[in-house]
Amino acid sequence: MYRERTVPLSELPAALDEAMHGALPLGCYATNRTVRTLLLSNVGVLALRTPLSVGEAWESLASRYPLFAYHEREMRALQGIELRSSPDLRPLYFRADAIPEAIIAEGKGVSVVVVGPVHAGIIEPGRFTMSTGGESVVHLDAQLSYSHRALEPWFEGRDALALAPQVARICGNCSVARSWAYARAIEGLAGIELDEGTEYARLILAEMERVHVHLFDLGNIAAGAGYGKATTAALGLRERINQLNHAVSGHRLLFDSIVPGGVRAGTLSDPASTRAILREIRDDIVRFTDAFFARRSVLRRLDGAGIVEESLARRFGAVGPSARASGIACDVRALAPYGAYRGVAFSEERASAGDVYARSDLRRREIERSFDLLDRALRELDIAALPMPAEIAAPPAGVITTVVEGARGAESLSLSLGSDGRVERLHVISAAYRNWPLVTRAMEGNIVPDFPLVNKSFNLCYSCVDR
Amino acid sequence: MSQRRFARSLAIRHLVCGSCNGCELEMNALAAPQYDISQEGWSIVASPRHADLITVTGPMTEAMRLAARRTLEATAEPVVVVAVGDCASGEGTWCGAGSAGAGAGQELKASIVVRGCPPTPDALREGLRAAATLLDERNS
Ligand code: SF4
């Protein structure tokens, strides 16, 4: 459910303090001069709606709640909203010849190491400036935005139903999750309820995405720990999921499998054989993770590396496995169940150490839970018929925010539609957007050579952050 | 040592210029045992100075344009540029969207184009083989 409450700027801090109790903060975004601050709780999404008058500046929330810092810079860059008392006024987006200065530590014996934006592997662009004392990192500044394409302004005025393939391609790692959030936004505005079979099919597609992303992350963590054999094994297992993805949806990364109104025709046409293949892959994954997590010399490299305390994760509004590894309950599948998760009594995995080990082990357990869900949903799907996607005539005007749990955490999507079915505003807050500040904090006090390990234990995307 | 022994081996530097990272997921799949490009003598290298091949994805972004050009300038001739995916080829979802460019492969004058959104690992391997052949020709 989506609710809005209008709160004037002067009353926002108090309203926010109150609304934060028991809720997961998602961030804020602006449409022209109206700012919406979003929170998710077990009754759904609450938007605190704050219209700014002409010339009125936004009183920054970032000093009190650092999680808003990035959002506020984005509102300034894209909607031209002036910020008051902001702790960080560096431009968020830039051209290649005007890269903002990195924040570096100063002091005796501090030296600075810069890497990026082009990296040694097959990874997205970002520039990392590490202030170091000896081998230890004192401060890490992450300069993202190299993938910024100003996509959100470009969405405006376009036909919402025709935009589904673009939404699926905002980011390849969270494609299914985002397509699901987009479909739910349109269906929510149109007042469409889906049948059980379709909801199970969507759950299956989302869990298959989670499994292949988690496997990839585990492989990358192994690489960061110098355990190449496990990287190759994880990639091999992920490849089998990708091949199965192709068999069930016609696309190895499941792009375009969830569409507004349902799932694409022809998807998951043989649940029984999908279930059988998944069982085989599951057995091999368990063999792989058992071996990985029994290897003491490797585990010692993960233990105590890149610690994120729970209080820090909370202050930055962290989500997903990275937040759960620090003890925060934030799995949208359990907090605010949607679709077929409503009927399966899902309970989330958590840990408390907040280090690379906790984030790795959490993924291992989540893969297990995903297979449980897959097995159950495929059995249900075998008996339920899967209809063609519902025809949606032009959806009515309105504003909505939907949230689904992607592999990296809460993926939220805000849509404002005009009366002609055109997009007035489409805004994405990805799990990676929420979690990037954690990476920089987690590195403090760690050694430079552990940067790949700590970074990969989050393995955040850039494309959905930069857009 | 004979020339042949090194023929078709590739040192690859990968450039991401506004890709959605779908293309990167498939590039990474090439290291899976099912494809195992290391057996072909292909490796992803840590410096453009070591590269004889640049793979590039995405439509190109304003912030990456300079780093992309400098990467190419830092390589030693002959070097082959491979456009990976529809966006890099100039026909993809994000070409010309917002502030994105028309295709990073077009801008960097790619001589090999691997289509797909994203291309499959098999298509990528074919493209890289074609690039290796081209490189051999240019090197001889
Ligand atoms: S070609 Fe497709 S997969 Fe590759 S970057 Fe473009 S949208 Fe993403």
Side-chain angles (χ1 to χ4, degrees):
Chain A
M1 205 187 54
Y2 175 77
R3 295 165 300 146
E4 284 200 352
R5 205 166 83 213
T6 301
V7 179
L9 185 57
S10 58
E11 291 165 27
L12 185 61
L16 192 57
D17 285 348
E18 194 198 312
M20 285 275 208
H21 284 290
L24 188 69
L26 300 172
C28 62
Y29 77 101
T31 306
N32 300 321
R33 297 193 55 77
T34 300
V35 180
R36 287 181 175 83
T37 308
L38 305 168
L39 300 119
L40 179 71
S41 71
N42 56 7
V43 285
V45 175
L46 170 66
L48 303 176
R49 182 179 169 279
T50 306
L52 297 176
S53 52
V54 181
E56 192 180 10
W58 175 256
E59 193 68 44
S60 172
L61 299 165
S63 302
R64 192 187 188 100
Y65 295 112
L67 74 99
F68 290 106
Y70 216 78
H71 300 271
E72 291 178 345
R73 287 169 70 193
E74 184 173 332
M75 292 179 349
R76 180 171 177 244
L78 293 183
Q79 281 78 38
I81 290 174
E82 193 194 326
L83 304 183
R84 206 180 310 133
S85 356
S86 163
D88 190 352
L89 284 172
R90 288 180 297 166
L92 187 56
Y93 306 121
F94 53 89
R95 297 175 60 97
D97 49 8
I99 302 169
E101 292 264 323
I103 294 174
I104 55 173
E106 281 172 7
K108 203 162 160 253
V110 174
S111 54
V112 174
V113 182
V114 186
V115 292
V118 185
H119 297 282
I122 306 170
I123 39 180
E124 295 176 86
R127 193 186 59 156
F128 299 97
T129 306
M130 287 180 262
S131 304
T132 63
E135 271 222 291
S136 290
V137 174
V138 181
H139 179 75
L140 168 63
D141 185 85
Q143 174 66 67
L144 307 181
S145 303
Y146 284 90
S147 290
H148 179 61
R149 290 144 291 172
L151 298 183
E152 291 192 359
W154 183 80
F155 292 142
E156 290 167 19
R158 286 172 197 274
D159 178 47
L161 287 170
L163 262 187
Q166 278 83 1
V167 171
R169 286 162 180 77
I170 291 173
C171 181
N173 277 305
C174 21
S175 175
V176 176
R178 187 151 300 110
S179 290
W180 196 353
Y182 191 60
R184 282 182 60 217
I186 290 181
E187 290 150 11
L189 289 174
I192 293 177
E193 288 284 331
L194 297 178
D195 61 282
E196 215 181 13
T198 300
E199 294 289 18
Y200 274 118
R202 286 182 169 184
L203 179 150
I204 292 161
L205 295 162
E207 294 304 325
M208 288 179 75
E209 177 171 73
R210 192 179 328 280
V211 170
H212 89 77
V213 173
H214 274 8
L215 279 171
F216 187 53
D217 292 354
L218 281 178
N220 278 304
I221 290 167
Y227 187 22
K229 197 178 148 197
T231 307
T232 310
L235 283 175
L237 291 163
R238 183 187 76 132
E239 173 63 21
R240 285 164 67 189
I241 299 283
N242 293 140
Q243 289 175 5
L244 185 60
N245 287 345
H246 186 262
V248 304
S249 77
H251 195 285
R252 286 167 46 86
L253 304 175
L254 305 165
F255 286 9
D256 309 316
S257 56
I258 292 183
V259 294
V263 298
R264 197 172 55 185
T267 303
L268 281 161
S269 55
D270 188 356
S273 84
T274 304
R275 195 163 156 242
I277 296 169
L278 276 173
R279 285 208 164 148
E280 281 169 31
I281 304 178
R282 178 182 195 161
D283 288 344
D284 290 339
I285 289 176
V286 170
R287 258 192 290 280
F288 158 72
T289 50
D290 281 354
F292 186 156
F293 285 88
R295 189 122 182 145
R296 281 187 24 234
S297 72
V298 175
L299 298 187
R300 289 219 180 108
R301 298 169 216 179
L302 316 185
D303 254 340
I307 294 174
V308 173
E309 304 279 357
E310 180 181 341
S311 59
L312 183 89
R314 271 193 205 287
R315 287 203 313 134
F316 282 102
V319 294
S322 304
R324 293 194 281 282
S326 296
I328 296 175
C330 59
D331 195 317
V332 185
R333 294 173 292 174
L335 175 67
Y338 49 96
Y341 295 114
R342 286 198 197 102
V344 295
F346 176 80
S347 66
E348 69 189 276
E349 296 291 331
R350 268 197 283 169
S352 59
D355 58 359
V356 174
Y357 177 82
R359 289 188 286 279
S360 311
D361 183 51
L362 202 84
R363 287 193 179 81
R364 173 176 69 121
R365 281 148 52 195
E366 290 201 354
I367 290 173
E368 282 281 293
R369 294 292 77 74
S370 290
F371 275 108
D372 293 342
L373 287 167
L374 282 165
D375 198 62
R376 168 155 178 198
L378 281 159
R379 229 177 325 137
E380 300 283 350
L381 190 63
D382 211 12
I383 18 186
L386 195 53
M388 296 289 281
E391 278 290 331
I392 303 179
V399 181
I400 194 168
T401 291
T402 55
V403 191
V404 307
E405 183 73 18
R408 280 159 192 169
E411 299 293 346
S412 66
L413 182 144
S414 302
L415 179 66
S416 306
L417 276 192
S419 51
D420 50 0
R422 293 193 177 268
V423 171
E424 279 177 2
R425 181 85 171 91
L426 171 53
H427 179 62
V428 161
I429 302 173
S430 72
Y433 193 101
R434 291 256 52 83
N435 287 349
W436 261 110
L438 297 188
V439 179
T440 65
R441 296 307 187 95
M443 263 316 283
E444 286 174 10
N446 284 250
I447 56 172
V448 177
D450 266 356
F451 177 55
L453 174 66
V454 173
N455 188 23
K456 291 301 176 184
S457 72
F458 297 92
N459 214 14
L460 303 176
C461 1
Y462 301 61
S463 184
C464 51
V465 176
D466 297 345
R467 288 156 287 134
Chain B
M1 224 177 276
S2 76
Q3 283 264 318
R4 283 190 83 81
R5 190 168 298 176
F6 291 115
R8 290 167 188 265
S9 80
L10 289 175
I12 303 164
R13 180 76 168 168
H14 185 62
L15 262 179
V16 186
C17 299
S19 149
C20 80
N21 79 40
C23 283
E24 279 59 46
L25 285 170
E26 292 296 43
M27 285 284 292
N28 274 298
L30 289 174
Q34 290 91 337
Y35 307 101
D36 194 8
I37 57 163
S38 65
Q39 288 199 17
E40 310 241 5
W42 299 347
S43 60
I44 309 294
V45 293
S47 162
R49 304 288 302 157
H50 302 165
D52 36 37
L53 187 120
I54 301 283
T55 48
V56 61
T57 59
M60 185 55 80
T61 66
E62 289 180 345
M64 273 307 290
R65 193 162 273 126
L66 193 61
R69 213 175 52 222
R70 286 202 180 140
T71 298
L72 200 58
E73 281 164 9
T75 58
E77 283 287 323
V79 66
V80 171
V81 177
V82 179
V84 168
D86 288 353
C87 286
S89 82
E91 309 280 339
T93 303
W94 300 126
C95 296
S99 60
Q106 286 197 343
E107 281 196 26
L108 300 180
K109 306 204 169 28
S111 26
I112 307 270
V113 172
V114 185
R115 291 294 302 267
C117 180
T120 61
D122 283 326
L124 285 168
R125 192 164 49 186
E126 282 315 303
L128 292 175
R129 280 187 183 144
T133 307
L134 191 61
L135 202 65
D136 282 350
E137 282 166 23
R138 291 191 187 168
N139 255 322
S140 56

